[in-house]
Amino acid sequence: MRGFLASARANDALSSRTDALSASLLGRPYRVAPLTGSATVAEDFDASLDAFDCVTYVETVFAAAISSDEKEFLDHLKRLRYERGGVRWDRRNHYMVTWIRRNQRAGLVTGVPLGRREVERVRVLDAVPGLPPLTERFSCLPKRFLPGALARLSTGDLICLASTKRNLDVFHCGLVIKDGLDPRDVSLRHASRKKRAVVQENLFDFLGRNRMAGVIVARLSERGRG
């Protein structure tokens, strides 16, 4: 843990810290459902760096980027993962639209508007067994319009891929990495189930291979830093 947190110590800007921390975890294994709680099993708080799914990878990097020591890291990870930091399965942010909204309210992230071509989606979320159905409204940008919105994105932004399913908001998420001067030279750094590891690949190649309702972007907030 100390080595992980130290990997960003030389960087003051949040985007640089997020870049360094997320890069330090490249190659770590992917794990399906790494958190152990359920509607019938008590939730245990897990801050392992051994393996990730797409959400726990983002949470871990974001918590570390706004922390100066291990105690702050654990506190921020709880606040990002659970409503008001309460470690209980029914308070976990199971859906990413809920994750973003609650963490905006907590001052940990901010939404990134992607322009006038965003569209509103309504989903009745019931993909998590044991949770009552939840109606969520959110805006997303159809992926064909993303090239025109690239100037709005920064390295370290959270990008969520909205599902086309009626009962699910987001099917995958990762971090934006802007690699160079070419505006289309943008990567997705994420925990990939298909590749079974944390990887980095061209964002537009990934988007081209996957059907989706659009993209949602959020950014770690300076207000959340410890």
Side-chain angles (χ1 to χ4, degrees):
M1 179 64 70
R2 288 180 182 175
F4 172 56
L5 293 174
S7 66
R9 219 163 264 162
N11 302 290
D12 187 56
L14 275 182
S15 61
S16 298
R17 293 173 66 85
T18 304
D19 187 6
L21 288 158
S22 59
S24 75
L25 298 175
L26 285 168
R28 297 291 172 96
Y30 179 92
R31 179 178 295 159
V32 177
L35 305 181
T36 57
S38 72
T40 57
V41 176
E43 184 88 353
D44 285 328
F45 178 58
D46 188 338
S48 171
L49 303 180
D50 294 336
F52 305 93
D53 66 5
C54 63
V55 178
T56 56
Y57 173 64
V58 169
E59 290 174 335
T60 299
V61 171
F62 272 14
I66 56 176
S67 300
S68 58
D69 56 37
E70 185 172 347
K71 183 178 182 301
E72 282 189 354
F73 167 73
L74 296 174
D75 179 61
H76 283 130
L77 185 57
K78 289 176 185 177
R79 291 174 61 203
L80 284 161
R81 183 173 293 165
Y82 302 99
E83 184 179 17
R84 299 180 183 176
V87 180
R88 280 180 15 195
W89 179 83
D90 59 347
R91 294 180 68 172
R92 194 199 304 170
N93 298 321
H94 294 277
Y95 297 108
M96 285 307 294
V97 168
T98 306
W99 190 103
I100 291 171
R101 177 169 46 78
R102 287 178 175 173
N103 283 309
Q104 280 182 295
R105 192 179 300 154
L108 295 172
V109 303
T110 58
V112 177
L114 297 177
R116 60 183 179 82
R117 294 185 181 274
E118 285 188 314
V119 296
E120 185 178 80
R121 307 290 187 190
V122 180
R123 297 285 189 268
V124 179
L125 308 178
D126 65 357
V128 179
L131 287 182
L134 173 68
T135 300
E136 285 279 16
R137 294 177 180 270
F138 58 92
S139 293
C140 62
L141 183 73
K143 67 178 180 180
R144 68 183 180 276
F145 298 128
L146 185 60
L150 284 179
R152 298 172 183 264
L153 273 57
S154 297
T155 288
D157 284 352
L158 163 66
I159 186 166
C160 299
L161 312 181
S163 175
T164 58
K165 295 180 180 179
R166 294 178 180 271
N167 69 333
L168 185 64
D169 55 343
V170 166
F171 70 89
H172 193 59
C173 66
L175 298 171
V176 172
I177 305 296
K178 300 188 90 169
D179 298 313
L181 297 177
D182 185 338
R184 286 185 62 90
D185 193 11
V186 181
S187 293
L188 174 68
R189 195 174 284 164
H190 62 125
S192 168
R193 183 169 186 166
K194 182 177 181 179
K195 297 186 177 182
R196 304 183 65 83
V198 176
V199 299
Q200 180 170 324
E201 58 188 304
N202 182 272
L203 174 63
F204 290 98
D205 289 348
F206 183 87
L207 296 182
R209 295 195 305 270
N210 290 275
R211 185 168 174 259
M212 64 196 67
V215 301
I216 307 164
V217 178
R219 182 171 298 154
L220 195 57
S221 174
E222 289 282 353
R223 292 170 53 200
R225 294 183 79 164

